[in-house]
């Protein structure tokens, strides 16, 4: 619970930055499949990168909270 409370104490801007960081991790988790490495290494890279993407996604959403998420969604709807 302490981690959740700490994350929720961070700013809206920090939440948006952490949430945006999940995008490159998602891209890299699948793009690494093009590397000429073993299937085992690809599986490990995918698990690590996809895990980092999910961590950034859920961490960003935790920082934003429900109100921050609504605020962010409304900003995108206006444009």
């Amino acid at each position: 619970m302490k981690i959740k409370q700490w994350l929720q104490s961070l700013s809206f801007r920090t939440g948006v930055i952490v949430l945006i960081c999940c995008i490159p991790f998602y891209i890299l988790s699948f793009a690494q499949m093009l590397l000429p490495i073993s299937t085992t290494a690809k599986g490990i890279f995918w698990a690590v990168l996809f895990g980092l993407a999910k961590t950034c996604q859920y961490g960003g959403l935790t920082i934003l909270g429900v109100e921050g998420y609504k605020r962010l969604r409304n900003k995108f709807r206006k444009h």
Side-chain angles (χ1 to χ4, degrees), residues 32-33 35-47:
Q32 60 81 27
M33 294 294 182
L35 295 174
I37 55 178
S38 72
T39 305
T40 303
K42 288 179 183 182
I44 292 169
F45 278 137
W46 182 85

Side-chain angles (χ1 to χ4, degrees), residues 5-26:
Q5 290 171 345
W6 175 72
L7 286 173
Q8 290 174 335
S9 72
L10 298 173
S11 71
F12 176 80
R13 182 178 179 185
T14 302
V16 172
I17 292 168
V18 171
L19 195 57
I20 289 172
C21 286
C22 76
I23 296 169
F25 286 125
Y26 277 124

Side-chain angles (χ1 to χ4, degrees), residues 1 6 12 20-21 24 28 31 38-39 44 47-49 51 55 57-58 64-66 69 71 75 77-78:
M1 239 3 197
W6 175 72
F12 176 80
I20 289 172
C21 286
L28 288 172
S38 72
T39 305
I44 292 169
V48 169
L49 292 169
T55 301
Q57 180 183 358
Y58 293 133
L64 291 176
V66 174
Y69 174 74
R71 181 176 159 194
K75 283 188 179 199
R77 284 188 178 171
K78 290 180 182 177

